[in-house]
Every structure is written in C-alpha cells, then in structure tokens.
Amino acid sequence: IVESLKRELINGKLGPDTMIVESQIGLRFGVSKTPAREALVRLSEMGFVSVIPGKGYTVTKLSWQQIKDLLEARLLLESAAVELAAARATSSDIAALKAAATLPKRKSLNIEELLDANLQFHCTIWKATRNKRLVHMASEIMDDLMRAMHTAMLSEDTAQMVEHHLQLTDLIARKKGAEARAAMVEHVDATRQRLLGL
C-alpha cells in the first residue's frame, strides 16, 4: 500500500492538498482500517502526507526552499557517491550502469518510465559504492525530490540525459573519480536549472 501510494504521490496522480481518508484506502486495497492507517502513518513519517485531525490526511506540497534543500543535499551526496563508485565498481556494476543508461535510447518511454529509468541509473551508482547508509540516504532524498522531478522531466532532453549517463558510466569504468564527480555536479545542476530556473 505504501509503495503504491508513494508512486502516485511521486507521479502527481495524488496532487498537493488532496485529502486521503483511511476508509477509502481500505476499500481500494481491500484491507481493514488498521493496515490502511499504518500505511498512511508511514507516508506521514516520510513527509508525503500530513495528518488533519478528525478528517484524515492531506498530500503535502514541497516548497521552493524544500526543493532547493533537496537539490543541494542530492548534489553533495551524489557527487561523493560517484567518486566512491569509481573506486569500487565491479564489471557487473558497469554492465548494469550501461544497461540503465541506454534504456531510454532502446525504447520509447513515457514520463513515469523515464523517471524510473533515471532513478534506476542513479541507484546503480549508489549501490556500486558498497555503502548501505549512503544508499539509504540517497534513496530518501530522491523519494522526496521525485515529486518535483516529474515536472522537470517534461522538459528533459532524453538524448542528452542518455549522453550524460553514458559519460558518467565511462568515467566510473575508467576509475576517474574526480572527473566523475565534476560530471555529476554538472548533471545534477542541469536538473536544478530546469526545476528552479536558476
């Protein structure tokens, strides 16, 4: 239930200020009130919804400051992660990165699929660091940021995204950590500019 609702919150099917009540979730997923409530409490803890006493839950909206903070945290974490991945990536990691990087080139993807492909590529970098805490932190940041990135993907140049991902993959494969860090900064900054116009 949490994953299904989280996906709808990320892709905008459940937009900001939408009211959600336990009974509707229970009916929709065929569960009693308890698991529906537990799912909504978990989403509240993750910051996706807020409790409205006596009414239910409402979908939270990211402020510009929150988006800026998330992008800043992502930039710091991902630039460090890619440098670490360049030092630790295995041949199977490189193969997984190439597959994820070229997926948008091999088939036509809608916005949601493009978001998933982008996330899969970045997740593969995080996993290549062999640092579980880093993977967890990066995943949390991206979960929050994906709600805003849905908008950014509308103006995404898919060919350019593939090119950036392949460049990062090549630098990781050649163990060029400092260059990979610089390329990641440029990559994340391009998203920041599309989101914030800065």
Side-chain angles (χ1 to χ4, degrees), residues 100-192:
T102 56
L103 180 62
K105 203 176 186 178
R106 297 194 309 267
K107 58 190 282 191
S108 180
L109 305 176
N110 63 33
I111 294 295
E112 192 173 339
E113 291 167 335
L114 197 57
L115 273 169
D116 285 342
N118 182 59
L119 183 59
Q120 182 184 338
F121 176 80
H122 287 273
C123 281
T124 306
I125 291 176
W126 309 335
K127 288 175 185 172
T129 67
R130 305 290 183 272
N131 184 317
K132 290 181 181 178
R133 177 60 65 180
L134 187 150
V135 172
H136 177 72
M137 290 167 64
S139 296
E140 280 196 337
I141 289 167
M142 285 300 277
D143 276 350
D144 276 343
L145 198 50
M146 289 288 273
R147 289 187 280 169
M149 285 185 67
H150 190 269
T151 304
M153 278 293 170
L154 296 172
S155 60
E156 177 69 75
D157 181 334
T158 307
Q160 188 178 62
M161 183 180 85
V162 169
E163 185 184 326
H164 284 175
H165 286 181
L166 285 173
Q167 178 192 19
L168 286 164
T169 300
D170 177 63
L171 291 169
I172 292 168
R174 292 192 292 126
K175 303 205 174 292
K176 301 281 189 182
E179 291 174 45
R181 177 187 277 266
M184 181 62 84
V185 168
E186 185 182 322
H187 182 59
V188 174
D189 194 55
T191 302
R192 180 186 67 83

Side-chain angles (χ1 to χ4, degrees), residues 92-104:
S92 62
D93 291 327
I94 302 303
L97 281 168
K98 283 180 183 171
T102 56
L103 180 62

Side-chain angles (χ1 to χ4, degrees), residues 43-57:
L43 288 167
S44 175
E45 289 167 354
M46 294 164 76
F48 284 103
V49 298
S50 299
V51 181
I52 306 296
K55 292 186 178 181
Y57 299 78

